Amino acid sequence: MQQPQTLYKLIILYMLDSTKYPLTNSQIANFMLDHDYTTYFHLQETLADMVETQLATMNVVRDTSYYKITEEGETTLSYFTNEVSDTTKEEILEYLKKHGAEVRCRTSVQADYYKNTTREFSVRCLVKERDTTLIDLTLTVPTEEAAKSICQKWRVRCQDVYAYLMESLM
Protein backbone atom coordinates (compact mmCIF):
# COMPACT_ATOMS: atom_id res chain seq x y z
CA MET A 1 0.00 0.00 0.00
CA GLN A 2 1.43 3.38 -0.98
CA GLN A 3 1.69 6.42 1.28
CA PRO A 4 -0.97 9.14 0.69
CA GLN A 5 1.69 11.80 0.00
CA THR A 6 3.17 9.59 -2.73
CA LEU A 7 -0.23 9.43 -4.42
CA TYR A 8 -0.64 13.23 -4.10
CA LYS A 9 2.73 13.68 -5.81
CA LEU A 10 1.78 11.33 -8.63
CA ILE A 11 -1.55 13.11 -9.15
CA ILE A 12 0.18 16.50 -9.28
CA LEU A 13 2.88 15.16 -11.61
CA TYR A 14 0.15 13.78 -13.89
CA MET A 15 -1.56 17.20 -13.88
CA LEU A 16 1.67 19.04 -14.68
CA ASP A 17 2.62 16.54 -17.36
CA SER A 18 -0.81 16.71 -19.00
CA THR A 19 -0.89 20.48 -19.46
CA LYS A 20 2.58 21.27 -20.81
CA TYR A 21 1.94 24.67 -19.22
CA PRO A 22 2.91 25.67 -15.69
CA LEU A 23 0.02 25.53 -13.23
CA THR A 24 -0.51 27.92 -10.35
CA ASN A 25 -0.69 26.83 -6.75
CA SER A 26 -4.37 27.75 -6.69
CA GLN A 27 -5.15 25.74 -9.85
CA ILE A 28 -3.57 22.64 -8.33
CA ALA A 29 -5.24 23.29 -4.97
CA ASN A 30 -8.66 23.79 -6.57
CA PHE A 31 -8.46 20.38 -8.23
CA MET A 32 -7.03 18.53 -5.21
CA LEU A 33 -9.43 20.08 -2.68
CA ASP A 34 -12.54 19.95 -4.90
CA HIS A 35 -11.99 16.21 -5.31
CA ASP A 36 -11.23 15.70 -1.59
CA TYR A 37 -7.80 14.16 -2.21
CA THR A 38 -6.13 16.00 0.65
CA THR A 39 -6.18 19.07 2.87
CA TYR A 40 -4.66 22.42 1.92
CA PHE A 41 -1.93 22.00 4.56
CA HIS A 42 -0.88 18.56 3.27
CA LEU A 43 -0.98 19.81 -0.31
CA GLN A 44 1.41 22.67 0.49
CA GLU A 45 3.78 20.22 2.22
CA THR A 46 3.64 17.96 -0.83
CA LEU A 47 4.35 20.79 -3.29
CA ALA A 48 7.29 22.00 -1.18
CA ASP A 49 8.68 18.46 -1.05
CA MET A 50 8.28 18.07 -4.82
CA VAL A 51 10.30 21.23 -5.42
CA GLU A 52 12.95 20.18 -2.86
CA THR A 53 13.31 16.74 -4.47
CA GLN A 54 13.35 18.31 -7.95
CA LEU A 55 10.22 16.59 -9.26
CA ALA A 56 8.84 20.05 -10.08
CA THR A 57 10.10 23.60 -10.30
CA MET A 58 8.41 26.63 -8.81
CA ASN A 59 8.62 30.12 -10.30
CA VAL A 60 7.05 33.09 -8.49
CA VAL A 61 5.69 35.94 -10.60
CA ARG A 62 3.91 38.81 -8.84
CA ASP A 63 2.97 36.76 -5.76
CA THR A 64 1.74 33.78 -7.81
CA SER A 65 3.59 30.45 -7.67
CA TYR A 66 3.79 28.53 -10.95
CA TYR A 67 4.72 24.83 -10.97
CA LYS A 68 6.22 22.90 -13.87
CA ILE A 69 7.25 19.26 -14.08
CA THR A 70 10.99 18.54 -14.39
CA GLU A 71 12.71 15.78 -16.37
CA GLU A 72 13.13 13.89 -13.09
CA GLY A 73 9.41 14.32 -12.44
CA GLU A 74 8.58 13.00 -15.93
CA THR A 75 10.83 9.98 -15.36
CA THR A 76 9.26 9.27 -11.96
CA LEU A 77 5.77 9.56 -13.43
CA SER A 78 6.65 7.19 -16.28
CA TYR A 79 7.56 4.49 -13.74
CA PHE A 80 4.45 4.93 -11.58
CA THR A 81 1.76 6.35 -13.88
CA ASN A 82 -0.38 3.23 -13.41
CA GLU A 83 -0.55 4.01 -9.67
CA VAL A 84 -2.91 6.88 -10.57
CA SER A 85 -6.35 5.38 -11.21
CA ASP A 86 -8.00 5.78 -14.59
CA THR A 87 -10.85 7.62 -12.86
CA THR A 88 -8.43 10.15 -11.37
CA LYS A 89 -6.71 10.60 -14.74
CA GLU A 90 -10.08 11.27 -16.37
CA GLU A 91 -10.98 13.78 -13.63
CA ILE A 92 -7.67 15.58 -14.19
CA LEU A 93 -8.12 15.74 -17.96
CA GLU A 94 -11.72 16.90 -17.56
CA TYR A 95 -10.63 19.60 -15.10
CA LEU A 96 -7.86 20.78 -17.43
CA LYS A 97 -10.21 20.87 -20.43
CA LYS A 98 -12.84 22.75 -18.44
CA HIS A 99 -10.28 25.27 -17.20
CA GLY A 100 -7.98 25.04 -20.23
CA ALA A 101 -8.43 28.55 -21.61
CA GLU A 102 -7.79 30.04 -18.19
CA VAL A 103 -4.71 27.91 -17.73
CA ARG A 104 -3.23 28.90 -21.09
CA CYS A 105 -4.02 32.57 -20.65
CA ARG A 106 -2.64 32.92 -17.15
CA THR A 107 0.57 31.07 -17.83
CA SER A 108 1.40 32.19 -21.36
CA VAL A 109 1.05 35.91 -20.68
CA GLN A 110 3.20 37.34 -17.91
CA ALA A 111 4.09 40.82 -16.70
CA ASP A 112 6.17 41.91 -13.73
CA TYR A 113 8.07 45.01 -12.66
CA TYR A 114 11.03 45.93 -10.48
CA LYS A 115 12.91 49.05 -9.40
CA ASN A 116 15.99 49.45 -11.58
CA THR A 117 19.38 51.06 -10.88
CA THR A 118 18.21 54.48 -12.12
CA ARG A 119 15.45 54.49 -9.48
CA GLU A 120 12.81 54.09 -12.13
CA PHE A 121 10.77 50.96 -12.77
CA SER A 122 11.42 48.33 -15.41
CA VAL A 123 8.35 46.43 -16.61
CA ARG A 124 8.98 43.06 -18.29
CA CYS A 125 6.15 41.76 -20.45
CA LEU A 126 6.21 38.24 -21.92
CA VAL A 127 4.08 36.10 -24.19
CA LYS A 128 4.99 32.42 -24.31
CA GLU A 129 3.57 29.56 -26.27
CA ARG A 130 4.62 26.35 -24.58
CA ASP A 131 8.40 26.73 -24.13
CA THR A 132 8.81 29.31 -26.90
CA THR A 133 8.95 33.02 -26.11
CA LEU A 134 6.97 34.96 -28.72
CA ILE A 135 7.66 38.39 -27.25
CA ASP A 136 9.86 39.61 -24.42
CA LEU A 137 9.48 43.36 -23.96
CA THR A 138 11.01 45.52 -21.22
CA LEU A 139 9.85 49.10 -20.73
CA THR A 140 11.22 51.70 -18.32
CA VAL A 141 8.65 53.93 -16.60
CA PRO A 142 9.07 56.67 -13.98
CA THR A 143 6.53 55.54 -11.36
CA GLU A 144 5.35 52.37 -9.67
CA GLU A 145 1.76 53.28 -10.55
CA ALA A 146 2.67 53.31 -14.26
CA ALA A 147 4.43 49.94 -13.87
CA LYS A 148 1.37 48.41 -12.17
CA SER A 149 -0.92 49.79 -14.86
CA ILE A 150 1.17 48.26 -17.65
CA CYS A 151 1.22 44.88 -15.86
CA GLN A 152 -2.57 44.92 -15.53
CA LYS A 153 -3.20 46.01 -19.13
CA TRP A 154 -0.64 43.63 -20.66
CA ARG A 155 -2.89 40.58 -20.20
CA VAL A 156 -5.71 42.28 -22.10
CA ARG A 157 -3.70 44.10 -24.78
CA CYS A 158 -0.73 41.79 -25.47
CA GLN A 159 -2.27 40.35 -28.65
CA ASP A 160 -2.84 43.86 -30.04
CA VAL A 161 0.72 44.89 -29.18
CA TYR A 162 2.16 41.73 -30.75
CA ALA A 163 0.07 42.17 -33.92
CA TYR A 164 1.08 45.84 -34.18
CA LEU A 165 4.78 45.03 -33.82
CA MET A 166 4.64 42.21 -36.36
CA GLU A 167 2.78 44.39 -38.87
CA SER A 168 5.10 47.35 -38.33
CA LEU A 169 8.33 45.38 -38.51
CA MET A 170 7.61 42.92 -41.32
Side-chain angles (χ1 to χ4, degrees):
M1 186 172 145
Q2 63 181 304
Q3 296 294 320
Q5 190 175 29
T6 301
L7 180 59
Y8 307 153
K9 287 178 186 178
L10 292 172
I11 291 170
I12 295 166
L13 287 174
Y14 189 84
M15 285 183 77
L16 295 174
D17 189 57
S18 296
T19 64
K20 305 302 180 195
Y21 291 95
L23 292 175
T24 65
N25 188 303
S26 63
Q27 289 167 325
I28 296 167
N30 286 342
F31 175 80
M32 297 292 284
L33 300 176
D34 286 351
H35 290 84
D36 294 322
Y37 284 113
T38 187
T39 65
Y40 185 79
F41 178 74
H42 286 124
L43 174 62
Q44 297 312 310
E45 285 181 334
T46 301
L47 287 169
D49 187 55
M50 290 175 68
V51 171
E52 186 177 313
T53 58
Q54 300 179 347
L55 296 174
T57 59
M58 181 185 71
N59 183 29
V60 178
V61 177
R62 293 192 45 81
D63 300 327
T64 300
S65 299
Y66 292 87
Y67 293 89
K68 186 173 181 178
I69 193 168
T70 62
E71 282 186 39
E72 190 170 327
E74 289 173 346
T75 301
T76 300
L77 182 62
S78 71
Y79 292 133
F80 300 103
T81 193
N82 53 345
E83 296 293 319
V84 179
S85 74
D86 289 340
T87 302
T88 300
K89 289 176 184 175
E90 288 172 19
E91 289 173 346
I92 290 168
L93 295 176
E94 185 178 309
Y95 173 85
L96 294 173
K97 283 180 189 174
K98 184 177 178 183
H99 297 92
E102 179 185 341
V103 170
R104 278 186 210 89
C105 179
R106 288 198 64 186
T107 59
S108 65
V109 178
Q110 300 173 7
D112 199 7
Y113 68 91
Y114 56 91
K115 192 175 248 183
N116 61 31
T117 57
T118 62
R119 301 183 135 296
E120 293 180 304
F121 292 85
S122 293
V123 183
R124 185 171 184 209
C125 303
L126 291 162
V127 176
K128 291 184 174 188
E129 186 173 291
R130 299 204 182 242
D131 291 330
T132 303
T133 301
L134 299 177
I135 188 169
D136 186 346
L137 175 68
T138 302
L139 303 167
T140 301
V141 295
T143 66
E144 185 173 14
E145 291 75 26
K148 286 180 182 178
S149 176
I150 290 170
C151 288
Q152 291 170 346
K153 291 178 182 174
W154 179 247
R155 291 194 195 286
V156 177
R157 302 290 311 271
C158 65
Q159 290 178 337
D160 297 335
V161 172
Y162 182 75
Y164 173 78
L165 289 172
M166 292 302 283
E167 183 180 314
S168 297
L169 298 174
M170 292 184 93

